[in-house]
Amino acid sequence: MADTAARLYLITPVLEDASFAPQLAEACATGAVAAVLLRLAPADERTLINQVKALGPAAQDNGAALIITTDGKADLATVAARAGADGVHIQGDPGLVREWRERLKSERAIGVGGIRTKDDAMTLGEAGVDYLLFGEPRRDGSLPSLESVAERVAWWAEIFETPCVAYAPALEAVETLAATHAEFVALGDAVWSHPDGAAAGVKAAADILARQEASR
């Protein structure tokens, strides 16, 4: 079980070009972001590599790890290696996890989402992932209940050593998910659509996590 405060993990909208870089840099410049999941629209490998190279510094130069994902058929392992990303993220597929673990060795992180059951989570953990993401929006945009996500994350954090990420659909959910002892709390629209800007969204979430840690 994690004994330290959860850290922030940001999930971008699906991006088709590098125009999101200033907003990403604004969020990461706070120094409170541990990792960014860059969601890339389907494209050929060359386009994706160029896109990651253009967007990456906004996160990496501010101390955040850069993880990439896409729904397209491009070879993300190759894209990550050539573009300098810190890791890749895939939807629950133990076979693909094992293949990429073999190819990427320990040089880059492998994260996984789209986890439906506890059995799936355990299988993926055994396949060699570096973290599991629970509670993110489904493909149709719907969300599992906060209660079910908190229960699943608390179960995982209590028993297993592989880190987990808990997705918070709103800032109001951060405290509940941090209390599960997840290593990371993920935010998406709650940061990017914050009325005072992305940096304000990050700072608000970081303040909640700091208060949570102080109360332990």
Side-chain angles (χ1 to χ4, degrees):
M1 178 184 292
D3 294 321
T4 57
R7 303 183 68 195
L8 288 176
Y9 174 112
L10 298 186
I11 301 177
T12 73
V14 177
L15 305 176
E16 296 185 353
D17 54 42
S19 61
F20 194 71
Q23 198 170 355
L24 182 58
E26 177 193 344
C28 294
T30 60
V33 179
V36 172
L37 178 60
L38 207 61
R39 298 171 63 207
L40 304 171
D44 61 84
E45 286 178 19
R46 181 181 295 275
T47 297
L48 293 175
I49 290 167
N50 291 336
Q51 196 174 349
V52 174
K53 285 183 175 179
L55 287 160
Q60 292 169 315
D61 289 356
N62 288 297
L66 185 72
I67 313 297
I68 61 173
T69 191
T70 183
D71 285 338
K73 296 181 179 180
D75 184 345
L76 269 186
T78 296
V79 173
R82 292 183 178 174
D86 299 294
V88 296
H89 182 94
I90 60 178
Q91 295 301 299
D93 182 340
L96 191 56
V97 169
R98 294 187 188 97
E99 175 191 334
W100 284 9
R101 182 83 286 161
E102 179 66 25
R103 291 175 58 193
L104 295 172
K105 307 300 181 186
S106 59
E107 295 175 5
R108 287 179 170 78
I110 298 176
V112 65
I115 303 163
R116 296 184 179 182
T117 67
K118 289 182 177 180
D119 283 344
D120 287 347
M122 289 187 287
T123 299
L124 289 161
E126 291 168 356
V129 297
D130 293 288
Y131 71 83
L132 291 86
L133 170 61
F134 295 103
E136 78 274 26
R138 304 182 182 100
R139 288 187 181 276
D140 63 2
S142 64
L143 286 165
S145 71
L146 181 61
E147 292 76 15
S148 68
V149 174
E151 184 277 329
R152 182 67 55 86
V153 172
W155 161 77
W156 182 268
E158 176 71 28
I159 300 172
F160 301 97
E161 293 184 4
T162 303
C164 65
V165 183
Y167 179 80
L171 287 172
E172 291 75 16
V174 171
E175 184 175 0
T176 296
L177 294 174
T180 65
H181 294 277
E183 285 82 3
F184 300 91
V185 172
L187 289 165
D189 288 345
V191 164
W192 312 123
S193 299
H194 193 283
D196 296 322
V202 168
K203 289 175 182 176
D207 286 346
I208 295 169
L209 295 179
R211 290 196 299 272
Q212 183 82 5
E213 175 67 7
S215 69
R216 288 183 180 176

